[in-house]
Amino acid sequence: QVQLVESGGGLVQAGGSLRLSCAASGSIFSVTTMGWYRQAPGKQRELVAAITSGGRINYADSVKGRFTISRDNAKNSVYLQMNSLKPEDTAVYYCNLRVVLIDYWGQGTQVTVSS
């Protein structure tokens, strides 16, 4: 019913930037929370950033000051601007959409930061 498609991942050197995009399609409630999670090899999936339809934002401590999340409600899209990337940011990044108690996930996009 809901499909999320991410784009923008890739390979970048430490200190560089990437911008991730996620577009949602299907039957979507008007009030949702959208965000980004990431999972590195051997580690649990962790929240990177999330934003409500009203604009409330939550960042992981590890990315505060470096990453910026935004959304376009009209386009049902969420974005993650990643600056000053570090090798420890290397992970598969997943787009997330939450409607009440239901989570929808994108397929993931690989972000690799080389030193």
PDB file of all heavy atoms in Angstrom, residues 72-105:
ATOM      1  N   ASP A  72       9.044  17.574   2.471  1.00  0.00           N
ATOM      2  CA  ASP A  72       8.105  18.306   1.647  1.00  0.00           C
ATOM      3  C   ASP A  72       6.802  17.531   1.706  1.00  0.00           C
ATOM      4  O   ASP A  72       6.657  16.493   1.055  1.00  0.00           O
ATOM      5  CB  ASP A  72       8.615  18.430   0.212  1.00  0.00           C
ATOM      6  CG  ASP A  72       7.747  19.323  -0.648  1.00  0.00           C
ATOM      7  OD1 ASP A  72       6.530  19.426  -0.391  1.00  0.00           O
ATOM      8  OD2 ASP A  72       8.279  19.929  -1.596  1.00  0.00           O
ATOM      9  N   ASN A  73       5.862  18.015   2.493  1.00  0.00           N
ATOM     10  CA  ASN A  73       4.612  17.294   2.684  1.00  0.00           C
ATOM     11  C   ASN A  73       3.811  17.163   1.388  1.00  0.00           C
ATOM     12  O   ASN A  73       3.151  16.149   1.160  1.00  0.00           O
ATOM     13  CB  ASN A  73       3.764  17.984   3.752  1.00  0.00           C
ATOM     14  CG  ASN A  73       4.350  17.852   5.145  1.00  0.00           C
ATOM     15  OD1 ASN A  73       5.021  16.869   5.457  1.00  0.00           O
ATOM     16  ND2 ASN A  73       4.097  18.841   5.990  1.00  0.00           N
ATOM     17  N   ALA A  74       3.871  18.175   0.553  1.00  0.00           N
ATOM     18  CA  ALA A  74       3.142  18.132  -0.711  1.00  0.00           C
ATOM     19  C   ALA A  74       3.667  17.034  -1.622  1.00  0.00           C
ATOM     20  O   ALA A  74       2.914  16.456  -2.408  1.00  0.00           O
ATOM     21  CB  ALA A  74       3.210  19.479  -1.412  1.00  0.00           C
ATOM     22  N   LYS A  75       4.957  16.750  -1.529  1.00  0.00           N
ATOM     23  CA  LYS A  75       5.580  15.728  -2.363  1.00  0.00           C
ATOM     24  C   LYS A  75       5.727  14.391  -1.650  1.00  0.00           C
ATOM     25  O   LYS A  75       6.230  13.435  -2.241  1.00  0.00           O
ATOM     26  CB  LYS A  75       6.955  16.194  -2.839  1.00  0.00           C
ATOM     27  CG  LYS A  75       6.928  17.427  -3.717  1.00  0.00           C
ATOM     28  CD  LYS A  75       8.333  17.820  -4.147  1.00  0.00           C
ATOM     29  CE  LYS A  75       8.317  19.045  -5.043  1.00  0.00           C
ATOM     30  NZ  LYS A  75       9.696  19.451  -5.443  1.00  0.00           N
ATOM     31  N   ASN A  76       5.303  14.333  -0.391  1.00  0.00           N
ATOM     32  CA  ASN A  76       5.479  13.122   0.415  1.00  0.00           C
ATOM     33  C   ASN A  76       6.926  12.640   0.377  1.00  0.00           C
ATOM     34  O   ASN A  76       7.195  11.451   0.191  1.00  0.00           O
ATOM     35  CB  ASN A  76       4.533  12.017  -0.056  1.00  0.00           C
ATOM     36  CG  ASN A  76       3.080  12.324   0.235  1.00  0.00           C
ATOM     37  OD1 ASN A  76       2.745  12.853   1.292  1.00  0.00           O
ATOM     38  ND2 ASN A  76       2.202  11.977  -0.693  1.00  0.00           N
ATOM     39  N   SER A  77       7.834  13.569   0.558  1.00  0.00           N
ATOM     40  CA  SER A  77       9.252  13.260   0.461  1.00  0.00           C
ATOM     41  C   SER A  77       9.994  13.739   1.694  1.00  0.00           C
ATOM     42  O   SER A  77       9.585  14.691   2.359  1.00  0.00           O
ATOM     43  CB  SER A  77       9.865  13.905  -0.784  1.00  0.00           C
ATOM     44  OG  SER A  77       9.270  13.404  -1.965  1.00  0.00           O
ATOM     45  N   VAL A  78      11.090  13.065   1.975  1.00  0.00           N
ATOM     46  CA  VAL A  78      11.967  13.442   3.072  1.00  0.00           C
ATOM     47  C   VAL A  78      13.399  13.417   2.558  1.00  0.00           C
ATOM     48  O   VAL A  78      13.747  12.602   1.692  1.00  0.00           O
ATOM     49  CB  VAL A  78      11.786  12.512   4.292  1.00  0.00           C
ATOM     50  CG1 VAL A  78      12.190  11.086   3.961  1.00  0.00           C
ATOM     51  CG2 VAL A  78      12.552  13.045   5.491  1.00  0.00           C
ATOM     52  N   TYR A  79      14.224  14.306   3.102  1.00  0.00           N
ATOM     53  CA  TYR A  79      15.583  14.466   2.625  1.00  0.00           C
ATOM     54  C   TYR A  79      16.542  14.463   3.801  1.00  0.00           C
ATOM     55  O   TYR A  79      16.189  14.835   4.914  1.00  0.00           O
ATOM     56  CB  TYR A  79      15.740  15.778   1.849  1.00  0.00           C
ATOM     57  CG  TYR A  79      14.677  15.981   0.797  1.00  0.00           C
ATOM     58  CD1 TYR A  79      13.509  16.678   1.089  1.00  0.00           C
ATOM     59  CD2 TYR A  79      14.831  15.463  -0.483  1.00  0.00           C
ATOM     60  CE1 TYR A  79      12.521  16.859   0.136  1.00  0.00           C
ATOM     61  CE2 TYR A  79      13.852  15.638  -1.445  1.00  0.00           C
ATOM     62  CZ  TYR A  79      12.702  16.333  -1.133  1.00  0.00           C
ATOM     63  OH  TYR A  79      11.723  16.507  -2.085  1.00  0.00           O
ATOM     64  N   LEU A  80      17.758  14.056   3.535  1.00  0.00           N
ATOM     65  CA  LEU A  80      18.803  14.093   4.547  1.00  0.00           C
ATOM     66  C   LEU A  80      20.063  14.661   3.916  1.00  0.00           C
ATOM     67  O   LEU A  80      20.690  14.017   3.075  1.00  0.00           O
ATOM     68  CB  LEU A  80      19.084  12.699   5.111  1.00  0.00           C
ATOM     69  CG  LEU A  80      20.064  12.654   6.286  1.00  0.00           C
ATOM     70  CD1 LEU A  80      19.453  13.316   7.522  1.00  0.00           C
ATOM     71  CD2 LEU A  80      20.463  11.214   6.597  1.00  0.00           C
ATOM     72  N   GLN A  81      20.407  15.871   4.310  1.00  0.00           N
ATOM     73  CA  GLN A  81      21.650  16.498   3.871  1.00  0.00           C
ATOM     74  C   GLN A  81      22.738  16.110   4.851  1.00  0.00           C
ATOM     75  O   GLN A  81      22.642  16.413   6.040  1.00  0.00           O
ATOM     76  CB  GLN A  81      21.498  18.016   3.815  1.00  0.00           C
ATOM     77  CG  GLN A  81      22.760  18.756   3.389  1.00  0.00           C
ATOM     78  CD  GLN A  81      23.157  18.469   1.970  1.00  0.00           C
ATOM     79  OE1 GLN A  81      22.325  18.484   1.079  1.00  0.00           O
ATOM     80  NE2 GLN A  81      24.439  18.186   1.753  1.00  0.00           N
ATOM     81  N   MET A  82      23.763  15.453   4.356  1.00  0.00           N
ATOM     82  CA  MET A  82      24.837  14.946   5.199  1.00  0.00           C
ATOM     83  C   MET A  82      26.122  15.674   4.839  1.00  0.00           C
ATOM     84  O   MET A  82      26.625  15.540   3.717  1.00  0.00           O
ATOM     85  CB  MET A  82      25.002  13.438   5.024  1.00  0.00           C
ATOM     86  CG  MET A  82      23.728  12.644   5.293  1.00  0.00           C
ATOM     87  SD  MET A  82      23.987  10.844   5.215  1.00  0.00           S
ATOM     88  CE  MET A  82      24.369  10.675   3.466  1.00  0.00           C
ATOM     89  N   ASN A  83      26.641  16.426   5.780  1.00  0.00           N
ATOM     90  CA  ASN A  83      27.881  17.165   5.601  1.00  0.00           C
ATOM     91  C   ASN A  83      28.940  16.650   6.560  1.00  0.00           C
ATOM     92  O   ASN A  83      28.637  15.979   7.543  1.00  0.00           O
ATOM     93  CB  ASN A  83      27.659  18.661   5.836  1.00  0.00           C
ATOM     94  CG  ASN A  83      26.687  19.285   4.874  1.00  0.00           C
ATOM     95  OD1 ASN A  83      26.616  18.905   3.704  1.00  0.00           O
ATOM     96  ND2 ASN A  83      25.931  20.279   5.341  1.00  0.00           N
ATOM     97  N   SER A  84      30.178  16.989   6.274  1.00  0.00           N
ATOM     98  CA  SER A  84      31.306  16.583   7.123  1.00  0.00           C
ATOM     99  C   SER A  84      31.264  15.099   7.431  1.00  0.00           C
ATOM    100  O   SER A  84      31.407  14.673   8.578  1.00  0.00           O
ATOM    101  CB  SER A  84      31.309  17.407   8.420  1.00  0.00           C
ATOM    102  OG  SER A  84      31.394  18.785   8.157  1.00  0.00           O
ATOM    103  N   LEU A  85      31.072  14.311   6.404  1.00  0.00           N
ATOM    104  CA  LEU A  85      30.920  12.874   6.585  1.00  0.00           C
ATOM    105  C   LEU A  85      32.193  12.243   7.137  1.00  0.00           C
ATOM    106  O   LEU A  85      33.305  12.651   6.802  1.00  0.00           O
ATOM    107  CB  LEU A  85      30.532  12.215   5.266  1.00  0.00           C
ATOM    108  CG  LEU A  85      29.057  12.394   4.886  1.00  0.00           C
ATOM    109  CD1 LEU A  85      28.848  12.106   3.407  1.00  0.00           C
ATOM    110  CD2 LEU A  85      28.176  11.479   5.737  1.00  0.00           C
ATOM    111  N   LYS A  86      31.991  11.240   7.974  1.00  0.00           N
ATOM    112  CA  LYS A  86      33.067  10.508   8.612  1.00  0.00           C
ATOM    113  C   LYS A  86      32.994   9.044   8.212  1.00  0.00           C
ATOM    114  O   LYS A  86      31.919   8.548   7.876  1.00  0.00           O
ATOM    115  CB  LYS A  86      32.962  10.620  10.139  1.00  0.00           C
ATOM    116  CG  LYS A  86      32.923  12.033  10.678  1.00  0.00           C
ATOM    117  CD  LYS A  86      32.680  12.025  12.183  1.00  0.00           C
ATOM    118  CE  LYS A  86      32.615  13.436  12.743  1.00  0.00           C
ATOM    119  NZ  LYS A  86      32.354  13.430  14.205  1.00  0.00           N
ATOM    120  N   PRO A  87      34.111   8.330   8.265  1.00  0.00           N
ATOM    121  CA  PRO A  87      34.067   6.901   7.946  1.00  0.00           C
ATOM    122  C   PRO A  87      33.048   6.135   8.779  1.00  0.00           C
ATOM    123  O   PRO A  87      32.446   5.178   8.280  1.00  0.00           O
ATOM    124  CB  PRO A  87      35.499   6.436   8.244  1.00  0.00           C
ATOM    125  CG  PRO A  87      36.328   7.642   7.981  1.00  0.00           C
ATOM    126  CD  PRO A  87      35.495   8.803   8.467  1.00  0.00           C
ATOM    127  N   GLU A  88      32.832   6.537  10.022  1.00  0.00           N
ATOM    128  CA  GLU A  88      31.866   5.856  10.864  1.00  0.00           C
ATOM    129  C   GLU A  88      30.417   6.085  10.438  1.00  0.00           C
ATOM    130  O   GLU A  88      29.502   5.458  10.974  1.00  0.00           O
ATOM    131  CB  GLU A  88      32.041   6.246  12.339  1.00  0.00           C
ATOM    132  CG  GLU A  88      32.102   7.746  12.582  1.00  0.00           C
ATOM    133  CD  GLU A  88      33.518   8.261  12.699  1.00  0.00           C
ATOM    134  OE1 GLU A  88      34.367   7.851  11.880  1.00  0.00           O
ATOM    135  OE2 GLU A  88      33.791   9.071  13.611  1.00  0.00           O
ATOM    136  N   ASP A  89      30.194   6.980   9.484  1.00  0.00           N
ATOM    137  CA  ASP A  89      28.868   7.156   8.919  1.00  0.00           C
ATOM    138  C   ASP A  89      28.542   6.098   7.871  1.00  0.00           C
ATOM    139  O   ASP A  89      27.404   6.027   7.396  1.00  0.00           O
ATOM    140  CB  ASP A  89      28.723   8.540   8.282  1.00  0.00           C
ATOM    141  CG  ASP A  89      28.802   9.667   9.294  1.00  0.00           C
ATOM    142  OD1 ASP A  89      28.211   9.533  10.388  1.00  0.00           O
ATOM    143  OD2 ASP A  89      29.446  10.689   8.991  1.00  0.00           O
ATOM    144  N   THR A  90      29.525   5.306   7.497  1.00  0.00           N
ATOM    145  CA  THR A  90      29.313   4.271   6.495  1.00  0.00           C
ATOM    146  C   THR A  90      28.251   3.285   6.971  1.00  0.00           C
ATOM    147  O   THR A  90      28.363   2.708   8.052  1.00  0.00           O
ATOM    148  CB  THR A  90      30.623   3.531   6.205  1.00  0.00           C
ATOM    149  OG1 THR A  90      31.563   4.440   5.622  1.00  0.00           O
ATOM    150  CG2 THR A  90      30.394   2.378   5.238  1.00  0.00           C
ATOM    151  N   ALA A  91      27.226   3.099   6.158  1.00  0.00           N
ATOM    152  CA  ALA A  91      26.115   2.224   6.514  1.00  0.00           C
ATOM    153  C   ALA A  91      25.128   2.184   5.360  1.00  0.00           C
ATOM    154  O   ALA A  91      25.240   2.952   4.402  1.00  0.00           O
ATOM    155  CB  ALA A  91      25.413   2.718   7.780  1.00  0.00           C
ATOM    156  N   VAL A  92      24.169   1.286   5.469  1.00  0.00           N
ATOM    157  CA  VAL A  92      23.007   1.332   4.603  1.00  0.00           C
ATOM    158  C   VAL A  92      21.979   2.232   5.275  1.00  0.00           C
ATOM    159  O   VAL A  92      21.629   2.025   6.439  1.00  0.00           O
ATOM    160  CB  VAL A  92      22.419  -0.061   4.349  1.00  0.00           C
ATOM    161  CG1 VAL A  92      21.165   0.038   3.489  1.00  0.00           C
ATOM    162  CG2 VAL A  92      23.453  -0.951   3.666  1.00  0.00           C
ATOM    163  N   TYR A  93      21.516   3.218   4.557  1.00  0.00           N
ATOM    164  CA  TYR A  93      20.553   4.169   5.088  1.00  0.00           C
ATOM    165  C   TYR A  93      19.164   3.825   4.577  1.00  0.00           C
ATOM    166  O   TYR A  93      18.959   3.650   3.376  1.00  0.00           O
ATOM    167  CB  TYR A  93      20.931   5.598   4.685  1.00  0.00           C
ATOM    168  CG  TYR A  93      22.084   6.146   5.481  1.00  0.00           C
ATOM    169  CD1 TYR A  93      23.366   5.638   5.311  1.00  0.00           C
ATOM    170  CD2 TYR A  93      21.898   7.159   6.423  1.00  0.00           C
ATOM    171  CE1 TYR A  93      24.428   6.115   6.061  1.00  0.00           C
ATOM    172  CE2 TYR A  93      22.951   7.648   7.170  1.00  0.00           C
ATOM    173  CZ  TYR A  93      24.216   7.123   6.986  1.00  0.00           C
ATOM    174  OH  TYR A  93      25.264   7.612   7.729  1.00  0.00           O
ATOM    175  N   TYR A  94      18.216   3.741   5.506  1.00  0.00           N
ATOM    176  CA  TYR A  94      16.853   3.352   5.192  1.00  0.00           C
ATOM    177  C   TYR A  94      15.889   4.491   5.474  1.00  0.00           C
ATOM    178  O   TYR A  94      15.922   5.091   6.551  1.00  0.00           O
ATOM    179  CB  TYR A  94      16.425   2.143   6.028  1.00  0.00           C
ATOM    180  CG  TYR A  94      17.216   0.888   5.762  1.00  0.00           C
ATOM    181  CD1 TYR A  94      18.343   0.587   6.504  1.00  0.00           C
ATOM    182  CD2 TYR A  94      16.819  -0.011   4.772  1.00  0.00           C
ATOM    183  CE1 TYR A  94      19.068  -0.566   6.274  1.00  0.00           C
ATOM    184  CE2 TYR A  94      17.538  -1.167   4.536  1.00  0.00           C
ATOM    185  CZ  TYR A  94      18.663  -1.438   5.292  1.00  0.00           C
ATOM    186  OH  TYR A  94      19.374  -2.592   5.057  1.00  0.00           O
ATOM    187  N   CYS A  95      15.029   4.746   4.541  1.00  0.00           N
ATOM    188  CA  CYS A  95      13.943   5.691   4.741  1.00  0.00           C
ATOM    189  C   CYS A  95      12.824   5.017   5.519  1.00  0.00           C
ATOM    190  O   CYS A  95      12.525   3.841   5.301  1.00  0.00           O
ATOM    191  CB  CYS A  95      13.429   6.184   3.389  1.00  0.00           C
ATOM    192  SG  CYS A  95      12.079   7.377   3.472  1.00  0.00           S
ATOM    193  N   ASN A  96      12.215   5.756   6.418  1.00  0.00           N
ATOM    194  CA  ASN A  96      11.147   5.225   7.257  1.00  0.00           C
ATOM    195  C   ASN A  96       9.953   6.162   7.251  1.00  0.00           C
ATOM    196  O   ASN A  96      10.109   7.384   7.311  1.00  0.00           O
ATOM    197  CB  ASN A  96      11.653   5.033   8.690  1.00  0.00           C
ATOM    198  CG  ASN A  96      10.533   4.745   9.680  1.00  0.00           C
ATOM    199  OD1 ASN A  96      10.082   5.644  10.398  1.00  0.00           O
ATOM    200  ND2 ASN A  96      10.091   3.500   9.723  1.00  0.00           N
ATOM    201  N   LEU A  97       8.781   5.581   7.183  1.00  0.00           N
ATOM    202  CA  LEU A  97       7.536   6.322   7.337  1.00  0.00           C
ATOM    203  C   LEU A  97       6.693   5.626   8.387  1.00  0.00           C
ATOM    204  O   LEU A  97       6.472   4.420   8.297  1.00  0.00           O
ATOM    205  CB  LEU A  97       6.780   6.415   6.008  1.00  0.00           C
ATOM    206  CG  LEU A  97       5.482   7.235   6.002  1.00  0.00           C
ATOM    207  CD1 LEU A  97       5.251   7.865   4.634  1.00  0.00           C
ATOM    208  CD2 LEU A  97       4.279   6.382   6.376  1.00  0.00           C
ATOM    209  N   ARG A  98       6.249   6.377   9.366  1.00  0.00           N
ATOM    210  CA  ARG A  98       5.459   5.818  10.458  1.00  0.00           C
ATOM    211  C   ARG A  98       4.072   6.425  10.466  1.00  0.00           C
ATOM    212  O   ARG A  98       3.920   7.646  10.495  1.00  0.00           O
ATOM    213  CB  ARG A  98       6.157   6.047  11.795  1.00  0.00           C
ATOM    214  CG  ARG A  98       5.363   5.562  13.005  1.00  0.00           C
ATOM    215  CD  ARG A  98       6.214   5.566  14.256  1.00  0.00           C
ATOM    216  NE  ARG A  98       7.279   4.576  14.157  1.00  0.00           N
ATOM    217  CZ  ARG A  98       8.249   4.424  15.060  1.00  0.00           C
ATOM    218  NH1 ARG A  98       8.287   5.222  16.125  1.00  0.00           N
ATOM    219  NH2 ARG A  98       9.178   3.501  14.900  1.00  0.00           N
ATOM    220  N   VAL A  99       3.080   5.549  10.441  1.00  0.00           N
ATOM    221  CA  VAL A  99       1.681   5.958  10.542  1.00  0.00           C
ATOM    222  C   VAL A  99       1.095   5.249  11.749  1.00  0.00           C
ATOM    223  O   VAL A  99       0.883   4.031  11.718  1.00  0.00           O
ATOM    224  CB  VAL A  99       0.882   5.613   9.277  1.00  0.00           C
ATOM    225  CG1 VAL A  99      -0.541   6.122   9.405  1.00  0.00           C
ATOM    226  CG2 VAL A  99       1.548   6.188   8.037  1.00  0.00           C
ATOM    227  N   VAL A 100       0.858   5.982  12.798  1.00  0.00           N
ATOM    228  CA  VAL A 100       0.361   5.432  14.054  1.00  0.00           C
ATOM    229  C   VAL A 100       1.322   4.330  14.517  1.00  0.00           C
ATOM    230  O   VAL A 100       2.453   4.624  14.915  1.00  0.00           O
ATOM    231  CB  VAL A 100      -1.087   4.936  13.928  1.00  0.00           C
ATOM    232  CG1 VAL A 100      -1.660   4.631  15.316  1.00  0.00           C
ATOM    233  CG2 VAL A 100      -1.962   5.985  13.244  1.00  0.00           C
ATOM    234  N   LEU A 101       0.923   3.065  14.421  1.00  0.00           N
ATOM    235  CA  LEU A 101       1.747   1.965  14.893  1.00  0.00           C
ATOM    236  C   LEU A 101       2.392   1.172  13.759  1.00  0.00           C
ATOM    237  O   LEU A 101       3.000   0.128  14.001  1.00  0.00           O
ATOM    238  CB  LEU A 101       0.922   1.019  15.765  1.00  0.00           C
ATOM    239  CG  LEU A 101       0.317   1.609  17.039  1.00  0.00           C
ATOM    240  CD1 LEU A 101      -0.522   0.571  17.758  1.00  0.00           C
ATOM    241  CD2 LEU A 101       1.402   2.145  17.944  1.00  0.00           C
ATOM    242  N   ILE A 102       2.292   1.646  12.550  1.00  0.00           N
ATOM    243  CA  ILE A 102       2.794   0.916  11.393  1.00  0.00           C
ATOM    244  C   ILE A 102       4.017   1.613  10.811  1.00  0.00           C
ATOM    245  O   ILE A 102       3.991   2.818  10.570  1.00  0.00           O
ATOM    246  CB  ILE A 102       1.704   0.777  10.316  1.00  0.00           C
ATOM    247  CG1 ILE A 102       0.476   0.061  10.882  1.00  0.00           C
ATOM    248  CG2 ILE A 102       2.248   0.027   9.104  1.00  0.00           C
ATOM    249  CD1 ILE A 102      -0.689   0.004   9.925  1.00  0.00           C
ATOM    250  N   ASP A 103       5.070   0.848  10.595  1.00  0.00           N
ATOM    251  CA  ASP A 103       6.296   1.347   9.977  1.00  0.00           C
ATOM    252  C   ASP A 103       6.431   0.818   8.559  1.00  0.00           C
ATOM    253  O   ASP A 103       6.238  -0.372   8.303  1.00  0.00           O
ATOM    254  CB  ASP A 103       7.522   0.923  10.774  1.00  0.00           C
ATOM    255  CG  ASP A 103       7.733   1.760  12.014  1.00  0.00           C
ATOM    256  OD1 ASP A 103       7.412   2.958  11.983  1.00  0.00           O
ATOM    257  OD2 ASP A 103       8.240   1.214  13.008  1.00  0.00           O
ATOM    258  N   TYR A 104       6.784   1.696   7.646  1.00  0.00           N
ATOM    259  CA  TYR A 104       7.107   1.331   6.279  1.00  0.00           C
ATOM    260  C   TYR A 104       8.563   1.680   6.028  1.00  0.00           C
ATOM    261  O   TYR A 104       9.065   2.694   6.519  1.00  0.00           O
ATOM    262  CB  TYR A 104       6.214   2.067   5.282  1.00  0.00           C
ATOM    263  CG  TYR A 104       4.740   1.756   5.432  1.00  0.00           C
ATOM    264  CD1 TYR A 104       3.939   2.529   6.252  1.00  0.00           C
ATOM    265  CD2 TYR A 104       4.161   0.689   4.759  1.00  0.00           C
ATOM    266  CE1 TYR A 104       2.595   2.250   6.408  1.00  0.00           C
ATOM    267  CE2 TYR A 104       2.815   0.403   4.901  1.00  0.00           C
ATOM    268  CZ  TYR A 104       2.038   1.187   5.727  1.00  0.00           C
ATOM    269  OH  TYR A 104       0.701   0.912   5.874  1.00  0.00           O
ATOM    270  N   TRP A 105       9.235   0.839   5.238  1.00  0.00           N
ATOM    271  CA  TRP A 105      10.663   0.991   5.018  1.00  0.00           C
ATOM    272  C   TRP A 105      11.004   0.987   3.544  1.00  0.00           C
ATOM    273  O   TRP A 105      10.409   0.265   2.747  1.00  0.00           O
ATOM    274  CB  TRP A 105      11.436  -0.142   5.694  1.00  0.00           C
ATOM    275  CG  TRP A 105      11.283  -0.172   7.180  1.00  0.00           C
ATOM    276  CD1 TRP A 105      10.367  -0.882   7.895  1.00  0.00           C
ATOM    277  CD2 TRP A 105      12.066   0.544   8.128  1.00  0.00           C
ATOM    278  NE1 TRP A 105      10.528  -0.653   9.241  1.00  0.00           N
ATOM    279  CE2 TRP A 105      11.570   0.217   9.412  1.00  0.00           C
ATOM    280  CE3 TRP A 105      13.142   1.417   8.030  1.00  0.00           C
ATOM    281  CZ2 TRP A 105      12.115   0.742  10.577  1.00  0.00           C
ATOM    282  CZ3 TRP A 105      13.681   1.944   9.189  1.00  0.00           C
ATOM    283  CH2 TRP A 105      13.164   1.598  10.449  1.00  0.00           C
TER     284      TRP A 105
END
